[in-house]
């Protein structure tokens, strides 16, 4: 029964989608954003896992030659607790997934903590700004030689309280791709297609 439950047969559409996604990821052009979208329950997460495993095999020689290198990283974009997606939470999860050993020390201390004795410094993670964490992510992506970042449930990134902010959400991802020279693969529902109207 267990063997039967774990047995999978690729559907022709699944295979076609996988081949298209891999072609887009491996095509020339440096940093870019690739969108993999479909209806709920269509097998997007399964597809994301297959892409991840295939890329790990593709970069196996690089991994063997440089143990500190993590060429492929995958994570979920978690649904926001409030009214808008939290970049801060996303960056923290990404740093943890990439094995950042100094995760708990990401902090931008105001100058008064250096000048006045007796003042207690804020907790690092809770008081760090999204900008500080973003710079840490960019540095981590470069140092770990991450080539592909796969974000499942990526439609959560578009959960914002103002539709006008959709452009900012996508531009933030595009900038992360450019600054880190990494291919970002967004996997999610058809809601992801909304960002096509926000940027060429």
């Amino acid at each position: 029964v267990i063997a039967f439950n774990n047995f999978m047969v690729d559907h022709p559409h699944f295979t076609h989608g996988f081949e298209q996604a891999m072609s887009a990821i491996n095509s020339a052009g440096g940093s870019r954003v690739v969108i993999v979208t479909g209806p709920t329950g269509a097998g997007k997460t399964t597809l994301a896992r297959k892409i991840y495993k295939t890329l790990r095999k593709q970069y196996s020689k690089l991994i063997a030659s440089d143990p500190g290198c993590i060429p492929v990283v995958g994570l979920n974009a978690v649904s926001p607790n409030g009214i808008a997606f939290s970049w801060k939470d996303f960056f923290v999860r990404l740093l943890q997934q990439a094995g950042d050993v100094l995760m708990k020390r990401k902090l931008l201390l105001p100058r008064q903590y250096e000048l006045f004795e007796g003042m207690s410094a804020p907790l690092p993670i809770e008081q760090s700004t999204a900008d500080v964490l973003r710079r840490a992510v960019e540095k981590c992506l470069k140092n770990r030689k991450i080539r592909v970042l796969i974000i499942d449930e990526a439609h959560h990134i578009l959960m914002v309280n103002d539709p006008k902010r959709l452009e900012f959400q996508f531009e933030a991802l595009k900038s992360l791709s450019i600054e880190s020279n990494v291919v970002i693969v967004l996997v999610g529902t058809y809601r992801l297609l909304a960002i096509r109207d926000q940027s060429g």
Side-chain angles (χ1 to χ4, degrees), residues 98-173:
D100 192 309
V101 294
L102 296 176
M103 184 59 248
K104 293 184 179 179
R105 298 186 181 274
K106 301 294 184 233
L107 174 68
L108 180 63
L109 284 173
R111 278 204 174 275
Q112 57 262 37
Y113 294 110
E114 299 172 11
L115 298 175
F116 302 105
E117 293 183 10
M119 292 188 71
S120 58
L123 294 173
I125 295 298
E126 285 73 9
Q127 297 299 322
S128 294
T129 66
D131 288 337
V132 172
L133 291 169
R134 175 176 169 162
R135 288 193 292 273
V137 163
E138 290 172 357
K139 192 174 291 185
C140 178
L141 292 173
K142 289 176 184 176
N143 291 342
R144 286 291 193 175
K145 299 176 184 175
I146 295 172
R147 307 286 179 83
V148 182
L149 171 62
I150 303 170
I151 306 173
D152 198 5
E153 301 293 328
H155 51 275
H156 289 151
I157 295 173
L158 302 184
M159 288 184 169
V160 290
N161 53 358
D162 182 357
K164 294 178 182 177
R165 290 190 58 82
L166 284 177
E167 181 179 358
F168 296 112
Q169 298 297 89
F170 179 67
E171 290 299 327
L173 286 169

Side-chain angles (χ1 to χ4, degrees), residues 2-3 12 18-19 43 47 50 53 128 139 144 190-191 194:
I2 294 174
F18 169 75
E19 290 172 352
L47 179 61
K50 184 170 182 179
K53 288 178 182 178
S128 294
K139 192 174 291 185
R144 286 291 193 175
Y190 286 130
R191 180 169 167 74

Side-chain angles (χ1 to χ4, degrees), residues 24-25 27-35 87 90-91 94 134 137-139 141-142 146-151 168-186 199:
I25 293 166
S27 64
S31 57
R32 61 199 172 280
V33 178
V34 175
I35 298 174
W87 282 107
F90 175 77
F91 291 144
L94 177 52
R134 175 176 169 162
V137 163
E138 290 172 357
K139 192 174 291 185
L141 292 173
K142 289 176 184 176
I146 295 172
R147 307 286 179 83
V148 182
L149 171 62
I150 303 170
I151 306 173
F168 296 112
Q169 298 297 89
F170 179 67
E171 290 299 327
L173 286 169
K174 194 169 75 172
S175 294
L176 183 62
S177 173
I178 293 169
E179 291 299 319
S180 308
N181 195 32
V182 64
V183 176
I184 298 178
V185 182
L186 303 178
S199 172

Side-chain angles (χ1 to χ4, degrees), residues 81-102:
N81 287 327
I83 57 176
F85 179 76
S86 170
W87 282 107
K88 185 173 170 179
D89 177 70
F90 175 77
F91 291 144
V92 168
R93 290 174 186 272
L94 177 52
L95 286 166
Q96 289 172 336
Q97 194 69 15
D100 192 309
V101 294
L102 296 176

